[in-house]
Amino acid sequence: MERKVKKEIRAVLKELGASMSSKGCNYIVEIVYEGVVDDRAIVSGSKIYNHYATVFGDTYSRTERALRTVRDTCISKSVNTQKFREVFGDLGVEGKITLYEFLESIRLYVLYETEAIEC
């Protein structure tokens, strides 16, 4: 199951335009995977960086930068695509989304997709 879920997360990120070789992409895969497997919401605000910096053995600022870079890349590359609307809904003209909303939307989308596959 772990492999299938992580593969689905990577596929979503790739469709959204994320670089699969970035550190932030790997971080997002692990964060979302944990949320899908535990079936619980991802921690919000600065707790994301505090908690996961320790988990990844990185600094708070590097973790924040890596995650924000992936989010910003996905927004700039795919805000007007069908996949973006499937995952995040309609964000309007500005396309603003917090990191928490970004991660949680991916978690919910993958959770739904993996449940649909298993049925």
Side-chain angles (χ1 to χ4, degrees):
M1 178 167 153
E2 176 181 355
R3 202 170 190 194
K4 185 183 349 178
V5 173
K6 287 184 177 183
K7 184 176 179 180
E8 179 67 26
I9 297 165
R10 284 187 183 93
V12 170
L13 289 171
K14 187 174 182 179
E15 283 187 71
L16 293 172
S19 170
M20 294 293 99
S21 63
S22 74
K23 178 170 50 172
C25 195
N26 293 325
Y27 286 1
I28 289 174
V29 169
E30 294 302 321
I31 292 168
V32 172
Y33 172 75
E34 185 178 295
V36 168
V37 170
D38 295 344
D39 195 18
R40 63 182 165 88
I42 294 168
V43 295
S44 64
S46 62
K47 292 177 186 177
I48 293 172
Y49 315 119
N50 286 332
H51 175 74
Y52 288 106
T54 305
V55 170
F56 299 132
D58 210 342
T59 65
Y60 175 96
S61 61
R62 286 183 184 171
T63 303
E64 177 185 16
R65 188 177 319 116
L67 295 172
R68 287 184 187 276
T69 298
V70 173
R71 181 205 60 192
D72 294 347
T73 300
C74 290
I75 290 172
S76 68
K77 287 187 175 182
S78 66
V79 73
N80 293 318
T81 65
Q82 178 63 31
K83 179 55 99 179
F84 191 90
R85 286 188 294 280
E86 285 176 21
V87 177
F88 304 106
D90 184 21
L91 299 177
V93 177
E94 295 181 26
K96 291 187 177 183
I97 186 170
T98 67
L99 184 60
Y100 169 74
E101 293 167 335
F102 180 79
L103 295 170
E104 185 63 11
S105 294
I106 293 173
R107 182 190 76 85
L108 292 172
Y109 180 82
V110 169
L111 186 63
Y112 173 77
E113 289 297 309
T114 54
E115 285 178 357
I117 291 170
E118 290 174 359
C119 292

